[in-house]
């Protein structure tokens, strides 16, 4: 079954758990803008993809730099770390190259089903909704970034679940906590 994708231009955009990819494009005036792929829509935003990532982070409780630092504390120093935008909503993104490059694409790790080689330096990313996106990258490089993001997501989900289990073992509830 073929999905109908709706294209819509919007002024502002915040990443949600429906966002699957943020792809740069050059508009008619030569400015870098973002094409945002959601499960059933594509939005055009006159902001760079990196700006959309940076602007979305505070909405979910921290700055981009704070989220980047947390990733590197947990996984160690690395180039182009994945970013956890929100654990509860399962929003984890990773860049295909340096986030500061205008050609960087941001991909949502939970939405990726597969990465298939097209040729030596080009792959097709297959998303959970059936959409696919060709990207200039080697399969090895992009799969490594995907696995690193999946590992980071797994670590954070495991930590969250352990905390919830401990709280239930000792009978803590939100209503039991008093803040003074």
């Amino acid at each position: 079954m073929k999905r109908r994708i709706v294209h819509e231009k919007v002024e502002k955009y915040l990443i949600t758990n429906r966002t699957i990819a943020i792809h740069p494009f050059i508009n008619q005036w030569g400015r870098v803008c973002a094409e945002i792929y959601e499960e059933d829509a594509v939005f055009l935003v006159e902001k760079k993809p990196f700006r959309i990532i940076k602007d979305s982070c505070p909405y979910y409780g921290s700055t981009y730099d704070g989220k980047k630092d947390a990733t590197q504390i947990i996984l160690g120093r690395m180039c182009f770390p994945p970013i956890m935008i929100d654990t509860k909503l399962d929003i984890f993104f990773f860049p295909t190259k340096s986030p500061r490059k205008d050609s960087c694409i941001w991909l949502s790790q939970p939405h990726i089903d597969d990465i298939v080689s097209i040729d030596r330096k080009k792959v097709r990313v297959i998303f959970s909704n059936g959409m696919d996106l060709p990207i200039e990258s080697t399969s090895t490089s992009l799969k490594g970034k995907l696995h690193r993001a999946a590992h980071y997501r797994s670590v954070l989900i495991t930590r969250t679940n352990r905390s919830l289990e401990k709280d239930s073992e000792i009978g803590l509830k939100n209503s039991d906590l008093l803040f003074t």
Side-chain angles (χ1 to χ4, degrees):
M1 175 170 67
K2 196 88 167 155
R3 290 183 180 266
R4 188 172 88 77
I5 303 297
V6 178
H7 280 76
E8 185 179 338
K9 187 175 179 181
V10 295
E11 295 289 318
K12 295 179 182 178
Y13 185 85
L14 284 173
I15 293 169
T16 71
N17 58 350
R18 296 175 52 84
T19 310
I20 63 176
I22 305 172
H23 190 282
F25 76 95
I26 308 295
N27 70 8
Q28 66 266 36
W29 298 284
R31 291 184 53 206
V32 178
C33 298
E35 191 171 42
I36 298 169
Y37 294 85
E38 283 195 352
E39 293 168 345
D40 58 358
V42 177
F43 296 100
L44 306 176
V45 182
E46 290 190 359
K47 285 185 179 180
K48 293 182 179 186
F50 188 43
R51 175 53 44 200
I52 290 168
I53 293 283
K54 286 185 86 165
D55 288 351
S56 294
C57 288
Y59 181 80
Y60 294 104
S62 183
T63 65
Y64 170 82
D65 289 332
K67 291 177 184 288
K68 179 180 165 189
D69 290 347
T71 304
Q72 293 190 341
I73 288 167
I74 293 169
L75 298 182
R77 304 281 296 147
M78 69 184 77
C79 293
F80 325 137
I83 300 297
M84 177 278 300
I85 294 180
D86 190 272
T87 307
K88 287 182 181 153
L89 294 175
D90 202 22
I91 306 173
F92 290 80
F93 274 79
F94 66 94
T96 59
K97 53 181 76 172
S98 170
R100 302 211 187 287
K101 288 190 177 221
D102 288 342
S103 58
C104 176
I105 300 167
W106 287 85
L107 301 172
S108 173
Q109 184 274 324
H111 286 283
I112 296 175
D113 275 355
D114 201 4
I115 295 172
V116 180
S117 288
I118 295 173
D119 60 37
R120 278 186 50 203
K121 294 198 176 194
K122 197 166 194 176
V123 298
R124 183 171 309 282
V125 178
I126 313 292
F127 296 101
S128 55
N129 69 348
M131 284 176 50
D132 64 87
L133 185 64
I135 294 177
E136 289 187 28
S137 175
T138 65
S139 177
T140 304
S141 173
L142 200 59
K143 282 181 179 179
K145 291 171 184 161
L146 173 64
H147 290 150
R148 192 167 50 204
H151 174 67
Y152 182 49
R153 177 178 172 227
S154 175
V155 167
L156 290 181
I157 289 170
T158 300
R159 287 180 178 183
T160 303
N161 289 343
R162 258 193 244 141
S163 290
L164 292 173
E165 287 170 9
K166 284 181 185 177
D167 288 352
S168 66
E169 285 173 13
I170 59 173
L172 278 180
K173 298 179 200 118
N174 284 342
S175 60
D176 294 335
L177 301 175
L178 294 176
F179 297 95
T180 57

